[in-house]
Amino acid sequence: MSTDTAPRPTFVLRRNRGLFITACLAPALLLVGVFTYYPMIRGGVISFQNYTLFDLSDTGFIGWGNFEKVLAEPGFWTALANTGIWVLFSLTGQFVLGFGLALLLQKAFRGRGLYQALVFFPWAMSGFLIGLIWRWMFNAEFGVVNDLLLRMGIVDAPIAFLASPEWAQTGQIIANVWYGVTFFSIMILAALQSVPQELHEAARLDGASYAQALWRVVIPFIRPTLVLVVLLRVIWILNFPDIIYAMTDGGPAGKTHIITTYMINKIIGAQDYGQASAVGLIVLVLLFAFTVFYLAATRLEKSRDF
């Protein structure tokens, strides 16, 4: 009788294996839940509350009030437009220069290892530090950029790049391009090195020039990588306030804010966590839209055979 009621060995083995896997995953799941999902959910709740540090006596729910206030501010739309410019020009510059550097680094030459280390070094630096360096370089009084322009006779007087509404965002984009070129170089170089040598040889036998082989053979082969890298970088640039905050803090007069620095300014400047959370939720929706596009493109590329 005792033999019939005892759990079968297979069931016990599966249960113990399940408990073991659960125990292994529990710390990671706990950390992700506490440090990622809980703040996200809490921020979503706060976005519907009147949550400002200037008056914590009334933090009740106000519905869509925070969203209505944010969307009614001209500064929000300026930041949103700046975000589009910031992403478009930063991405284009980083991709073009990164692709070119990857092509150069693919070829063997003396000192290539040292050159690769110099190219990849900026990626190991803090974005905020990069912003401080470029802030010094664009300084109107003792910056390197103005000094070079004056010596070459391009300008007659120093330009206050970061104090000018016309030039400030251009300076930020230049700094971001310089910082992000490394990412594209690393990823595209890895993709280029994965192209089989047989494809290059077949292109040469067919009489294809270097440009034709690149356009008709290499780029189609690494196209899935390019699609993924570009979409990932779009998300990162959209959510990358470090350089802007270090260089101009959104100035002059808030003209260079992107949506993420605008959100940070709501916290540090206005102390309004409710409106900041509302902006954060809007950013989340924008990033989700990019993610959907990213996943759709990934499936599209997987369905293709080279």
Side-chain angles (χ1 to χ4, degrees):
M1 182 174 178
S2 59
T3 304
D4 296 337
T5 56
R8 289 178 296 181
T10 304
F11 173 75
V12 173
L13 184 62
R14 288 179 179 174
R15 185 184 63 184
N16 291 339
R17 184 181 299 171
L19 290 174
F20 176 74
I21 293 174
T22 303
C24 292
L25 292 176
L29 293 175
L30 182 64
L31 289 174
V32 171
V34 170
F35 293 106
T36 301
Y37 288 103
Y38 173 74
M40 190 184 303
I41 295 171
R42 185 71 183 113
V45 173
I46 291 177
S47 68
F48 295 97
Q49 290 182 271
N50 179 36
Y51 205 108
T52 169
L53 293 187
F54 291 123
D55 183 13
L56 289 174
S57 61
D58 180 16
T59 58
F61 286 93
I62 57 173
W64 296 97
N66 287 322
F67 293 90
E68 293 172 355
K69 290 178 182 176
V70 166
L71 295 176
E73 293 181 359
F76 172 81
W77 297 105
T78 300
L80 196 60
N82 287 341
T83 303
I85 297 171
W86 167 253
V87 172
L88 177 63
F89 287 96
S90 296
L91 182 74
T92 303
Q94 291 175 5
F95 180 81
V96 172
L97 294 176
F99 202 116
L101 273 175
L103 290 176
L104 292 175
L105 292 173
Q106 188 188 16
K107 299 177 180 178
F109 59 89
R110 191 173 184 180
R112 185 175 67 168
L114 176 62
Y115 190 71
Q116 284 180 334
L118 293 174
V119 170
F120 297 159
F121 177 69
W123 195 245
M125 298 175 67
S126 159
F128 194 81
L129 178 59
I130 297 294
L132 291 177
I133 292 173
W134 279 91
R135 179 177 179 172
W136 170 78
M137 293 176 67
F138 280 118
N139 189 281
E141 298 179 2
F142 48 82
V144 175
V145 175
N146 267 311
D147 185 57
L148 290 174
L149 294 177
L150 288 169
R151 289 176 185 272
M152 290 188 291
I154 297 176
V155 297
D156 298 325
I159 300 174
F161 287 103
L162 301 183
S164 164
E166 291 79 18
W167 286 103
Q169 193 172 32
T170 302
Q172 295 167 345
I173 291 172
I174 291 173
N176 195 27
V177 168
W178 182 84
Y179 181 59
V181 162
T182 300
F183 172 79
F184 277 106
S185 298
I186 295 172
M187 301 302 294
I188 295 175
L189 178 60
L192 289 174
Q193 290 174 340
S194 70
V195 179
Q197 193 61 32
E198 292 80 6
L199 291 179
H200 292 288
E201 293 174 358
R204 279 197 295 270
L205 289 175
D206 289 340
S209 63
Y210 177 79
Q212 288 173 328
L214 178 66
W215 184 254
R216 296 181 181 275
V217 177
V218 175
I219 291 180
F221 189 86
I222 65 172
R223 186 177 176 185
T225 302
L226 297 180
V227 170
L228 300 182
V229 168
V230 167
L231 289 176
L232 278 174
R233 194 65 189 140
V234 167
I235 294 173
W236 289 353
I237 294 175
L238 178 70
N239 200 23
F240 184 58
D242 306 39
I243 288 178
I244 293 176
Y245 222 81
M247 290 182 71
T248 65
D249 193 12
K255 295 295 184 183
T256 61
H257 270 305
I258 63 170
I259 197 164
T260 45
T261 58
Y262 182 80
M263 177 184 66
I264 295 173
N265 200 46
K266 284 286 182 187
I267 297 174
I268 298 177
Q271 302 284 304
D272 195 327
Y273 282 66
Q275 290 189 24
S277 298
V279 177
L281 212 56
I282 294 172
V283 173
L284 192 64
V285 170
L286 291 175
L287 292 178
F288 180 75
F290 276 114
T291 303
V292 170
F293 181 62
Y294 163 83
L295 294 175
T298 303
R299 284 198 295 272
L300 176 66
E301 293 305 316
K302 282 183 177 179
S303 65
R304 293 183 179 180
D305 291 325
F306 176 74

